[in-house]
Amino acid sequence: MLLLFLLLTFEFTALSFIPFVYALVQNHSSKLRIQFHVFVQIVLFIVALVFIYFTGPDQTWKVIIEANLFTFAISAAIHGVIVAISKREIHKIEGNFFVGTVVSLIALGIMILVIIAAGYATTKSVANITDVTENSTTKTAPMPVINSKSKEVPVVNSYKTVRNQMQNSLSNVPDSNVYSLNHARVQFYHDKLVYISPLDFDGSFFRYNHYKKVPGYFIVDATSKNAKPKFVRKSMRYTPSAYFGHDAGRRIYASIVGRGLVMSGSAPQLEINEAGHPYYVQTLYKQYGLSTRKNYRKIYVAVLDSVTGKVQVYKQGDEPKWIDVTFDPNIASDKIYSYATERNGWWNAHGFGGSRLGVMKSVEKVGTEGSDDVFTPIAYKNNIYYFTSMTSNNKKQTSVLGYMYVNAKTGKTYYYREEADAMTPNRADSLAENRMKQTQWKANMPLLYQIDGKPTWVVSMIDENGAFMSYVYLLANGNGTQDTVAVGTDAKSTLQKYRNLFNADMGTASSSYSGKKQNFNGTVKRVVKVNDNEIAFLMNDNENVFYASIKDYPRNMFVQSGDEVSFSGYKDGKTVVVVKDISNESL
């Protein structure tokens, strides 16, 4: 790999050798001066080599020309000073060298200005190649659907919750103090949605130098609250926090020499194939014309075997089927920004006096992925989508204009206009936190579902340690009042309680309820009114919490402590949702 970087450094600094050769000709009569020129040129080359090796500048022709002009100017200035000193002209740069330095710096400045101008000029053109499919309604949006025919029940676990579980399990890994959990990626594994999180070195070179490999990765079900992270032992030598030739990013960088490809800004992410073998995946792209903007129609993906170090580069669409994410969330963020903000031109969006016609923005700080955490990953029909809500540029706006979905495997992007007056996800978070104000829990990762045809925000509430505590379901076009919000500790019972708010037929709804239906009887111990639609009560056995509708079955509101009752309900864990009337012998 070192030879490859030596050749790459020469490509970036080739012009710097012109002043060097000219200086040798000027001072050919002095062996000592020739040696000094050679020493200076070697130092310049080594400095460039170190810079390229550790920073990995873009390997585009624009950057290569800029680097050559810059190193030419530095080389001409230094060698020119040496030649001037040899002629007893102290504090000067010999004439031809001075001209070369000035001309190269002027050329570099002109090129930078051209690239910047090209960036502004191509704003609308790049927005046009985002190829966003627009829809006037949300009916066909790839949001998870819950209805009487569906067996699916929310919710994808919050990354903070999963990370907390994995951190707790990390102590069971030998030498766990050496490693850290830097990232996790959602993917399908044997048709189940899971989180994959690799161990990596904690940043210390000395620890890396001692261990050389990381022992494996964690895998955990992304939808089960009771799932425990499983540690898979698989020694990985090539990781993002490794050093030198074992650095995953550097290895991928070396594999794209001469291809004109650019690596996305984020670190490579781990995915596993169906056999559980780990690979680091990195999105690559080509730039658009003279600008440094991304060409969203020319996306590639590099796949690094974390065990052997072998790298394969594929054009998007040609990658192995098990890879679920070829379109990095940061690139997806840029793509959505380009479409939402700049599709009517740069001046419209940013210029003084611009009309801001059609300008939208993603709601920030409510997701787990992408620039400014704008995305939440969701699963729909065996595809992973990055989901974000779009709102007006007006900071006071609290309703959404629509939703955008990016297919993580294909990069295809969709915009669905919201017809109703639906609240933004940060508004949903705020309402959920107010609802649970006494607990001090924080709202996290709001997800949008279609529940019985109603757009619904499903918010996970977590404690200060990231542990999951409860769900809050909010009608997206509601106002956060009691008759539009349901709270519960598990997705199934909370879903049932939410349905009760809207006169959902319990017999129909039960077909999608996976709890076990049982008959119950006994003495009521305590009763509380949860809201205008529902009561909750305990019985003498004190084992379960029962929820019953008083909106659909008004007689249930007369249940009180000491009543002898019998009824049927769906039991899931310690929660029971009562169906239909409660038979009350006291009445």
Side-chain angles (χ1 to χ4, degrees):
M1 183 181 287
L2 180 59
L3 177 60
L4 185 64
F5 274 91
L6 287 171
L7 293 173
L8 189 60
T9 303
F10 181 77
E11 183 180 22
F12 275 79
T13 63
L15 288 184
S16 71
F17 286 86
I18 295 176
F20 166 63
V21 173
Y22 185 70
L24 294 181
V25 173
Q26 291 286 304
N27 279 333
H28 69 279
S29 59
S30 172
K31 183 177 180 181
L32 180 62
R33 293 168 188 166
I34 289 175
Q35 289 175 341
F36 193 55
H37 282 299
V38 171
F39 172 76
V40 167
Q41 190 64 26
I42 290 174
V43 170
L44 285 174
F45 188 82
I46 291 174
V47 169
L49 173 62
V50 171
F51 178 82
I52 292 169
Y53 187 82
F54 285 103
T55 65
D58 295 345
Q59 300 177 43
T60 62
W61 61 269
K62 288 163 287 191
V63 174
I64 292 172
I65 292 176
E66 288 174 343
N68 272 277
L69 290 172
F70 180 74
T71 55
F72 178 90
I74 298 296
S75 176
I78 295 175
H79 289 298
V81 169
I82 297 172
V83 171
I85 292 174
S86 69
K87 294 180 178 181
R88 303 291 192 270
E89 297 175 355
I90 310 299
H91 306 305
K92 290 179 64 177
I93 299 179
E94 201 275 333
N96 290 335
F97 291 93
F98 178 76
V99 172
T101 299
V102 172
V103 170
S104 62
L105 288 176
I106 291 173
L108 177 61
I110 291 173
M111 185 168 183
I112 291 173
L113 289 174
V114 168
I115 291 172
I116 292 173
Y120 289 116
T122 58
T123 296
K124 192 171 183 178
S125 298
V126 171
N128 288 336
I129 64 168
T130 55
D131 297 327
V132 174
T133 302
E134 297 181 352
N135 299 270
S136 59
T137 176
T138 61
K139 291 180 180 178
T140 58
M143 67 178 69
V145 175
I146 310 296
N147 56 36
S148 60
K149 298 179 181 179
S150 171
K151 295 296 181 183
E152 185 180 4
V153 174
V155 173
V156 176
N157 292 337
S158 159
Y159 169 65
K160 289 184 179 179
T161 299
V162 171
R163 180 178 173 82
N164 181 61
Q165 294 171 337
M166 291 179 179
Q167 288 285 10
N168 292 336
S169 300
L170 184 58
S171 59
N172 298 322
V173 177
D175 302 313
S176 60
N177 62 311
V178 177
Y179 309 108
S180 62
L181 292 166
N182 294 332
H183 67 269
R185 170 159 281 181
V186 176
Q187 73 165 93
F188 285 101
Y189 178 63
H190 294 304
D191 297 323
K192 289 188 67 176
L193 194 65
V194 297
Y195 275 104
I196 303 292
S197 184
L199 298 188
D200 211 344
F201 297 103
D202 71 348
S204 167
F205 170 75
F206 298 102
R207 288 179 175 179
Y208 160 77
N209 195 46
H210 177 74
Y211 290 94
K212 291 290 196 300
K213 299 177 182 179
V214 296
Y217 58 87
F218 280 105
I219 180 171
V220 62
D221 190 315
T223 58
S224 172
K225 287 292 178 289
N226 299 319
K228 294 183 178 180
K230 176 186 176 183
F231 184 69
V232 179
R233 293 191 174 278
K234 191 72 174 181
S235 293
M236 297 183 287
R237 185 181 291 272
Y238 301 89
T239 70
S241 293
Y243 284 81
F244 306 118
H246 292 150
D247 182 310
R250 184 171 295 122
R251 197 142 188 106
I252 292 172
Y253 181 82
S255 73
I256 60 174
V257 171
R259 299 191 186 207
L261 296 172
V262 181
M263 297 171 62
S264 64
S266 55
Q269 300 282 303
L270 193 79
E271 290 196 43
I272 60 175
N273 65 10
E274 294 302 303
H277 191 85
Y279 295 83
Y280 276 100
V281 179
Q282 175 83 58
T283 303
L284 312 168
Y285 63 90
K286 290 196 172 185
Q287 293 178 341
Y288 187 85
L290 289 174
S291 74
T292 57
R293 292 176 177 272
K294 300 172 180 65
N295 188 334
Y296 300 109
R297 291 177 178 173
K298 294 184 178 180
I299 301 296
Y300 296 77
V301 59
V303 182
L304 165 69
D305 188 319
S306 64
V307 177
T308 67
K310 183 179 180 181
V311 180
Q312 294 283 349
V313 177
Y314 303 93
K315 189 175 181 179
Q316 190 179 54
D318 296 335
E319 72 280 350
K321 290 183 178 180
W322 55 265
I323 295 178
D324 290 306
V325 180
T326 68
F327 208 68
D328 181 272
N330 287 331
I331 291 184
S333 297
D334 293 340
K335 184 179 186 181
I336 285 182
Y337 176 85
S338 181
Y339 165 79
T341 305
E342 299 178 334
R343 66 187 184 280
N344 291 318
W346 184 90
W347 192 265
N348 175 74
H350 309 287
F352 177 75
S355 66
R356 308 296 190 269
L357 177 65
V359 174
M360 301 183 292
K361 67 175 183 178
S362 296
V363 178
E364 300 174 355
K365 307 302 181 185
V366 292
T368 61
E369 302 273 4
S371 304
D372 298 313
D373 291 336
V374 299
F375 286 129
T376 300
I378 64 168
Y380 184 77
K381 293 185 177 179
N382 292 324
N383 280 292
I384 293 171
Y385 287 85
Y386 297 125
F387 160 74
T388 186
S389 301
M390 308 304 296
T391 187
S392 166
N393 227 16
N394 186 340
K395 293 182 180 180
K396 296 181 180 180
Q397 184 80 29
T398 59
S399 60
V400 296
L401 300 175
Y403 312 100
M404 295 200 73
Y405 294 82
V406 182
N407 188 309
K409 186 173 182 68
T410 65
K412 291 182 178 179
T413 306
Y414 307 86
Y415 174 64
Y416 298 89
R417 189 172 290 106
E418 176 58 77
E419 299 169 289
D421 185 23
M423 68 179 74
T424 60
N426 45 12
R427 171 69 173 158
D429 277 356
S430 177
L431 290 171
E433 288 181 357
N434 285 337
R435 183 81 175 189
M436 311 293 287
K437 196 171 184 178
Q438 72 281 6
T439 66
Q440 299 297 308
W441 297 336
K442 296 297 181 183
N444 187 249
M445 207 169 101
L447 296 168
L448 188 66
Y449 282 77
Q450 282 279 8
I451 299 181
D452 300 326
K454 299 177 180 66
T456 304
W457 285 112
V458 178
V459 182
S460 296
M461 304 301 294
I462 60 176
D463 67 10
E464 59 184 5
N465 297 316
F468 170 80
M469 302 306 294
S470 76
Y471 288 116
V472 179
Y473 286 33
L474 305 98
L475 183 66
N477 53 9
N479 52 11
T481 55
Q482 283 190 345
D483 59 350
T484 62
V485 180
V487 179
T489 57
D490 67 271
K492 297 169 186 175
S493 63
T494 313
L495 171 63
Q496 201 75 351
K497 290 163 65 177
Y498 181 74
R499 282 173 154 159
N500 289 349
L501 297 174
F502 306 104
N503 282 320
D505 180 80
M506 300 298 284
T508 303
S510 66
S511 64
S512 64
Y513 188 75
S514 57
K516 185 178 179 182
K517 189 175 182 180
Q518 299 180 25
N519 294 320
F520 300 87
N521 61 78
T523 305
V524 175
K525 185 175 182 180
R526 292 284 189 275
V527 184
V528 295
K529 186 178 180 181
V530 178
N531 51 47
D532 292 338
N533 303 295
E534 187 177 44
I535 61 170
F537 60 94
L538 300 174
M539 297 182 68
N540 279 343
D541 60 14
N542 239 0
E543 289 185 358
N544 304 299
V545 178
F546 299 87
Y547 292 91
S549 171
I550 57 177
K551 184 175 182 180
D552 300 331
Y553 307 102
R555 285 177 61 86
N556 290 346
M557 76 174 69
F558 298 104
V559 171
Q560 60 185 18
S561 299
D563 285 351
E564 294 292 326
V565 297
S566 60
F567 54 88
S568 60
Y570 286 89
K571 184 177 186 300
D572 186 74
K574 297 292 185 180
T575 301
V576 178
V577 177
V578 179
V579 293
K580 300 187 178 180
D581 276 318
I582 297 172
S583 177
N584 192 337
E585 293 184 12
S586 303
L587 297 178

